[in-house]
Amino acid sequence: MIYPVVLAGLKNGTEMAEGAMIPAHFCAEGPGASPFQSVLHGLDHPMFAAPTVVACAAQRFVAVQQMEAVGATGEVLVEPCQSKPAALMAAIALRFQHDPEALLLILPAEHADVRNEVFRRAIENAMQIAFGGNLVLLTGEGVGSYGHVRALSRVRGGQPVQALFSATAADHPDDPQCFESAGVYLVRAGSLLSAFKRHAPRLLQATKRAVEGMQQGAGFLRLAPEAYGRVKAESFETAVLSRMQTVVAISPDGPLESSAAETRASVEAWRTPMNPAGHIVVDSLAA
């Protein structure tokens, strides 16, 4: 079972709907569903548990109304202010620390491919890698400022590869081994917590106070406003991913070329320590 976390808050650069003070991911074009509701539809699948939805205080009721409209249930975690992506990811890791083996799928509310079967197959292929202790990110095109990766081996559609991550725009956009990050992450809760302990311990400690002061009521979980307000505003990509040696990337585009047995073999190969003579050692996040 995968536990989805849908990021529907208000972060820097969030596109606002024309003539309305709500994010565009809550606004439908025409009579159809909003992007947020499309994501919820895509998560209505046996492989996913009920989602945790993150919304800012000003739009928490909009999030609930849209969830109810599509019959979605789940927890709503409220940020008291404009989103702080790194702190939010730390809060999610702390929220699930009672179940470190829980597999989290963290994705933005505007992500369009969740209902795509190829997307789900890519997630299935990434599960063993994530269970092995690695953070897996999905790639995409035109998905926003989530950084990019450069694959360290030949890319095959729907298959995981070791990659170097950068939080900046790609220096060589025509490089066939270079891909945009889609801001979608599959990771064990314990591995995510370990990543913060290793790469952003101060931010984790500050966020912990906001989680410890969290209040529940009227159907919401609210991070403690004063404590959360003191946490540094930083992106997850800058605070954690850019400090890792390597990440694991997977592209949902194109045909799935290798079998489950080949995927398992690659997992076992990555778990084996390698000597430093020209070999890259994966920065495993195993708790």
Side-chain angles (χ1 to χ4, degrees):
M1 183 71 71
I2 296 175
Y3 295 86
V5 180
V6 182
L7 307 182
L10 184 63
K11 62 181 183 292
N12 286 333
T14 298
E15 183 182 352
M16 302 300 286
E18 186 175 351
M21 291 302 293
I22 61 173
H25 53 250
F26 286 135
C27 295
E29 293 185 3
S34 69
F36 170 63
Q37 289 174 310
S38 294
V39 169
L40 296 178
H41 278 303
L43 295 174
D44 184 14
H45 188 275
M47 71 187 295
F48 300 119
T52 295
V53 171
V54 180
C56 70
Q59 279 94 44
R60 66 190 186 278
F61 293 110
V62 176
V64 170
Q65 289 168 358
Q66 295 205 359
M67 291 172 69
E68 292 176 346
V70 296
T73 60
E75 205 168 60
V76 179
L77 179 64
V78 177
E79 285 189 281
C81 55
Q82 191 171 57
S83 187
K84 299 179 178 182
L88 178 57
M89 294 283 273
I92 291 166
L94 290 164
R95 178 67 180 160
F96 281 87
Q97 63 183 328
H98 66 285
D99 186 8
E101 296 301 314
L103 197 58
L104 308 177
L105 175 65
I106 302 169
L107 69 166
E110 66 272 16
H111 193 73
D113 296 329
V114 183
R115 300 181 70 176
N116 190 316
E117 186 61 29
V118 176
F119 173 90
R120 291 174 182 159
R121 290 284 301 280
I123 293 297
E124 289 175 351
N125 275 14
M127 288 175 67
Q128 292 184 64
I129 304 293
F131 273 128
N134 293 285
L135 183 148
V136 184
L137 65 80
L138 269 68
T139 63
E141 294 183 1
V143 290
S145 55
Y146 298 105
H148 75 279
V149 294
R150 189 181 192 285
L152 297 174
S153 59
R154 187 171 73 88
V155 175
R156 304 173 71 180
Q159 293 303 311
V161 294
Q162 298 175 15
L164 299 175
F165 178 85
S166 174
T168 61
D171 295 327
H172 304 287
D174 296 328
D175 186 341
Q177 297 295 100
C178 193
F179 303 88
E180 290 182 80
S181 170
V184 178
Y185 306 106
L186 187 70
V187 62
R188 274 177 47 224
S191 300
L192 183 59
L193 190 59
S194 294
F196 276 97
K197 288 178 179 178
R198 182 183 305 177
H199 300 293
R202 291 184 178 178
L203 188 145
L204 177 64
Q205 192 60 37
T207 304
K208 187 176 181 180
R209 288 188 280 272
V211 173
E212 289 173 342
M214 191 161 51
Q215 295 184 345
Q216 185 168 8
F220 301 104
L221 282 170
R222 297 178 176 85
L223 291 162
E226 186 175 347
Y228 197 71
R230 290 195 292 265
V231 182
K232 182 180 179 181
E234 191 174 10
S235 74
F236 173 69
E237 290 74 23
T238 299
V240 175
L241 287 190
S242 61
R243 297 175 183 175
M244 293 169 58
Q245 280 186 322
T246 61
V247 297
V248 179
I250 187 167
S251 170
D253 300 323
L256 301 177
E257 301 176 15
S258 58
S259 66
E262 290 174 310
T263 300
R264 283 195 296 271
S266 71
V267 174
E268 294 305 319
W270 292 359
R271 289 177 180 169
T272 304
M274 305 185 74
N275 65 56
H279 293 82
I280 293 174
V281 179
V282 173
D283 187 10
S284 176
L285 302 178

